[in-house]
Amino acid sequence: MSRLVVVSNRVALPRETRAGGLASALEAALQERGGLWFGWSGNLADAGEPAIHTQQAGQVEYALLDLTRQEYDRYYLGFSNRTLWPLLHFRPTLLGYRRADRDGYLRVNRLFAHHLSQRLQPDDLVWVHDYHLIPLAAELRRIGVDARMGFFLHIPVPPPALLSMLPQHEALLGTLAEYDLVGVQGTHDRNALLDYFRDFLGATTGADGNVTMPSGRRFRIAAFPIGIDTGKVARLAERSIEHATTLRLAQSLAGRRLAIGVDRLDYSKGLPQRFEAFAHFLSQHPGWRSRISFLQIAPPSRGEVPEYRELRTQLERTAGATNGRYAEPDWVPIRYLNRSFNQATLAGYYRLADIGLVTPLRDGMNLVAKEYIASQAAADPGVLILSRFAGAAEELPEAVLVNPLDVDDIADAIETALTMPLAERRERWQAMFDTVSSNDIAHWRSSFVEALEHPA
Ligand code: ADQ
């Protein structure tokens, strides 16, 4: 069996607390086959020969590279997070583009390729993750690496017309052809990328996802919807009902209903609309005031990017205004928390919540939707309100689906969820639970690795 080499912007070291389901799945795959996990260390260093930090755990080596401040600014903050992130989330008006950022992005990909190539062995299977590293295979091929290489994009793919707004898009997106397999989250993403290769790069595409470039180079684009460690989340949720943190939240509700949202503080997650929809629900249904609380957990992310700071200010204003307007001495409608919680605590909170509010404007998948389902009690499950534009909606049509831009639609969905009969809640939940159980994270990574290693 070939060794597996995982490459991603950030690396989750063993026993690291921020490691979530994805990190443990990749670690499991690496331990099973032996391998290497390569990426940025998260540290900034002075210019010069960059330091590589290595660590061994069982059969797995971790190799982490420092970046300079300028590399971080251009590759990570600039091109990855101010150019590619908004573009791929269908938000060209939020896009910032600088040639210097694009050049910095290419330079870091070249740097990764240089250091990685020195650690590769013949027969290695290379699995590259996400939009930070699109041209990595091309850079590796340029220096003679001919290993099988796969790429997985965790975020959405917009239609070709939107992709083509990126300056020099052909040069960047064309490098995807240097992988043997390009995985995306859903069939919409797959179809959009196939259309792009056909319309803009002159490729011939087949219904099976096979792509032939004008040069004759062939590769494949396919959907691999990512999952969670469903069994583990379900066990954590069941155990957490007894935990002090969960009990504290339950007591504070004093019998009121609870809606929960858990998202990184990101403009793709639809938080302003969600806050507004909850306020609208309270204004339309005075009878529910004082009878339901909305808990939004949103740890800040990418605070160095201006659009994220603006979003934070906007949400503070909206939450404050709604609470000022509707709160009672013993009840606050929106409980808004800018912090992280461990998986067990989150699972307990999900289980307590009557409604999971997952309303991103666009999302590659959205694992919170799946975690919410995995955490429910079979006998009395809550209701998932899910954006049609989250990748998860393709797999979970039994959720109450909403258009996240339509605050009336979300407000109506909250009412539907609060009044949904138990039998219907159970029926919808069972169907979704079956899906997240069979399409779990282990299934995701083994199907990707299998497709990369043994092409049909
Ligand atoms: P994200 O945009 O980060 O991921 P998501 O899929 O929801 O979005 O995953 C977030 C993860 O972080 C979840 O496991 C969640 O539990 C955890 N999390 C969020 N807030 C937290 C908090 N306050 N405390 C602790 N944990 C918290 C990207 C893409 C998604 C895609 C995933 C995986 O944007 O579309 O589903 O990658 O491919």
Side-chain angles (χ1 to χ4, degrees), residues 20-22 85 89 130 152 154-156 185 226 228 262-264 266 268-269 297-299 339-343 346 350 363-369 371:
L22 172 64
W85 179 271
H89 283 89
D130 234 358
F152 185 77
H154 290 257
I155 65 178
Q185 299 274 21
I226 196 168
I228 57 166
V262 176
D263 311 74
R264 274 184 312 100
D266 192 297
S268 64
K269 304 292 182 183
I297 297 174
R339 52 165 290 197
S340 287
F341 289 92
N342 63 37
Q343 269 190 311
L346 276 187
Y350 289 137
D363 220 326
M365 175 55 65
N366 196 295
L367 296 180
V368 170
E371 290 164 3

Side-chain angles (χ1 to χ4, degrees), residues 201-216:
L201 297 176
T204 312
T205 58
D208 49 4
N210 284 322
V211 182
T212 309
M213 299 299 283
S215 65

Side-chain angles (χ1 to χ4, degrees), residues 221-263:
I221 300 175
F224 297 88
I226 196 168
I228 57 166
D229 189 340
T230 310
K232 181 176 169 202
V233 174
R235 280 192 301 279
L236 281 176
E238 197 171 350
R239 275 194 237 125
S240 299
I241 344 173
E242 326 251 296
H243 288 183
T245 46
T246 316
L247 292 173
R248 234 176 93 195
L249 175 59
Q251 277 157 11
S252 77
L253 290 170
R256 295 186 182 95
R257 305 289 197 92
L258 177 68
I260 192 169
V262 176
D263 311 74

Side-chain angles (χ1 to χ4, degrees), residues 369-370 373 384 386 392-399 401 431-432 435-436:
K370 295 187 171 183
I373 293 300
L384 175 64
L386 179 62
E394 193 174 330
E395 282 179 281
L396 304 175
E398 300 85 4
L401 295 177
M432 292 190 275
T435 305
V436 297

Side-chain angles (χ1 to χ4, degrees), residues 157-222:
V157 183
L162 242 162
L163 285 173
S164 73
M165 289 175 79
L166 177 70
Q168 302 196 26
H169 55 94
E170 299 97 331
L172 178 71
L173 298 171
T175 62
L176 284 172
E178 297 300 326
Y179 291 97
D180 299 290
L181 175 65
V182 172
V184 291
Q185 299 274 21
T187 52
H188 296 292
D189 307 302
R190 185 193 90 117
N191 295 342
L193 199 54
L194 285 169
D195 289 349
Y196 174 81
F197 268 86
R198 206 187 45 238
D199 298 353
F200 284 92
L201 297 176
T204 312
T205 58
D208 49 4
N210 284 322
V211 182
T212 309
M213 299 299 283
S215 65
R217 159 120 200 129
R218 297 166 71 112
F219 72 108
R220 181 164 169 248
I221 300 175

Side-chain angles (χ1 to χ4, degrees), residues 325-355:
R325 178 154 181 203
Y326 294 109
E328 297 287 339
D330 62 344
W331 170 70
V332 178
I334 303 183
R335 301 180 181 193
Y336 176 46
L337 282 68
N338 291 132
R339 52 165 290 197
S340 287
F341 289 92
N342 63 37
Q343 269 190 311
T345 304
L346 276 187
Y349 290 176
Y350 289 137
R351 192 174 179 105
L352 266 189
D354 303 277
I355 300 178

